[in-house]
Amino acid sequence: MTKLVVHNLNKRFGGLHVLKDVNFEIEGPELIGLIGPNGAGKTTLTNILDGAIKPNSGTVYLNDRRIDQLEPYEVARAGLGRTFQVTRSFRRMTVHENLLVPALALDHGLDRTEINDKAMEVLEFLTLDHLRNEYAQSLSGGQQKLLELGRLLMLDADIIILDEPFAGVHPTLMKIIYDYIGRVNDAGTAIILISHQMDSIFSLCKRLLVLDYGNLIADGTPDTVKNDPAVIEAYLGVDDDETDVTTGDQAAP
Ligand SMILES: Nc1ncnc2c1ncn2[C@@H]1O[C@H](COP(=O)(O)OP(=O)(O)OP(=O)(O)O)[C@@H](O)[C@H]1O
Ligand SMILES: [Mg+2]
């Protein structure tokens, strides 16, 4: 069973202390929301978990293997994948080729026909099959997001981190992303979902982690978290029972 253990993680950029003694564990195919105001440290945490940057101190273990000093391709092989807030496809490769690259690079033991069949399945599921021979750079912003999600499916990861998958996505594509999250999670993959869209977070996740200025200020069920005074204060700068953290609405005076 997937187990991620994050212990006392610290990250500094010069004088800026961006992650401060962050601790949490994930066990099994949980679907966890990672939320927090802009600049809270969510993407930095993701970059550390996938090996793109190294922490100043602290450790990350995935399935009992230490991964915080590994490179991203090694972390991907160990079973953790992520999407980027700003999408990063191979722009001058076709949509289809973009899906083949991660599977071929990771060498999961599938032959080329199997990888190709899997890519076709993924394209169909993401409704990108009619675009398979187009260059990735010709896709819309929302379609680029779908392509990244597809590349992640090709990895067969144990745990995936989705960094703002709904941002800038047309409402017609939202349902596909919702279905993706449900299907991948049902298949046994743990998911960390980063989003500022609270309605999506609250409808999908059973556990929330809240970062604020690099501090993990809450870790619990959506109900507990949304009533937590520290969370309300972090989001709105007020500690006020009259404020609904799920919408940001304040009750009329
Ligand atoms: N490479 C870097 N060098 C210096 N400062 C950085 C670097 N990366 C991030 N930061 C700073 O670290 C802090 C956390 O940024 P991060 O991108 O992790 O926040 P976030 O929670 O993902 O925000 P958002 O919701 O806007 O995406 C910010 O103050 C940011 O400016
Ligand atoms: Mg971010």
Side-chain angles (χ1 to χ4, degrees), residues 13 16 18 37-44 85 164 196:
F13 292 114
L16 196 62
V18 176
N38 293 114
K42 305 178 298 294
T43 296
T44 302
Q85 194 166 347
E164 307 211 11
H196 287 286

Side-chain angles (χ1 to χ4, degrees), residues 81-118:
R82 59 87 63 95
T83 62
F84 291 87
Q85 194 166 347
V86 180
T87 53
R88 294 189 181 182
S89 51
F90 297 108
R91 298 173 61 77
R92 297 177 77 91
M93 286 186 180
T94 66
V95 168
H96 183 237
E97 286 164 349
N98 263 275
L99 290 184
L100 302 183
V101 170
L104 290 169
L106 281 195
D107 190 16
H108 273 161
L110 299 179
D111 66 30
R112 278 178 181 256
T113 312
E114 289 167 319
I115 289 174
N116 197 49
D117 289 350
K118 186 168 174 181

Side-chain angles (χ1 to χ4, degrees), residues 52-63:
I53 62 175
K54 306 296 175 247
N56 292 94
S57 62
T59 55
V60 182
Y61 283 83
L62 176 62
N63 302 330

Side-chain angles (χ1 to χ4, degrees), residues 44-222:
T44 302
L45 176 59
T46 305
N47 288 339
I48 290 177
L49 295 180
D50 95 325
I53 62 175
K54 306 296 175 247
N56 292 94
S57 62
T59 55
V60 182
Y61 283 83
L62 176 62
N63 302 330
D64 296 323
R65 177 174 177 203
R66 188 165 172 184
I67 62 166
D68 54 85
Q69 299 301 318
L70 301 183
E71 294 308 312
Y73 72 93
E74 296 172 308
V75 173
R77 279 192 185 144
L80 186 147
R82 59 87 63 95
T83 62
F84 291 87
Q85 194 166 347
V86 180
T87 53
R88 294 189 181 182
S89 51
F90 297 108
R91 298 173 61 77
R92 297 177 77 91
M93 286 186 180
T94 66
V95 168
H96 183 237
E97 286 164 349
N98 263 275
L99 290 184
L100 302 183
V101 170
L104 290 169
L106 281 195
D107 190 16
H108 273 161
L110 299 179
D111 66 30
R112 278 178 181 256
T113 312
E114 289 167 319
I115 289 174
N116 197 49
D117 289 350
K118 186 168 174 181
M120 295 309 284
E121 254 175 54
V122 169
L123 286 173
E124 202 175 321
F125 173 57
L126 294 173
T127 67
L128 293 174
D129 38 344
H130 64 296
L131 298 170
R132 68 178 175 277
N133 294 322
E134 302 294 327
Y135 284 120
Q137 65 187 7
S138 69
L139 300 184
S140 72
Q143 289 166 338
Q144 301 261 1
K145 292 255 179 198
L146 292 182
L147 179 57
E148 278 223 333
L149 292 169
R151 283 154 50 97
L152 214 42
L153 274 185
M154 297 299 292
L155 293 181
D156 271 334
D158 295 328
I159 177 164
I160 59 175
I161 308 172
L162 308 180
D163 197 352
E164 307 211 11
F166 306 118
V169 171
H170 191 272
T172 51
L173 299 183
M174 289 282 284
K175 187 183 176 308
I176 299 171
I177 301 181
Y178 264 69
D179 288 350
Y180 172 99
I181 290 171
R183 177 163 146 174
V184 172
N185 189 231
D186 286 347
T189 305
I191 301 178
I192 299 178
L193 173 62
I194 300 174
S195 180
H196 287 286
Q197 297 197 9
M198 291 305 163
D199 49 350
S200 307
I201 287 280
F202 279 85
S203 67
L204 286 165
C205 304
K206 295 198 173 63
R207 176 180 168 199
L208 301 185
L209 300 171
V210 188
L211 269 179
D212 181 39
Y213 288 111
N215 294 298
L216 191 67
I217 59 168
D219 176 356
T221 64

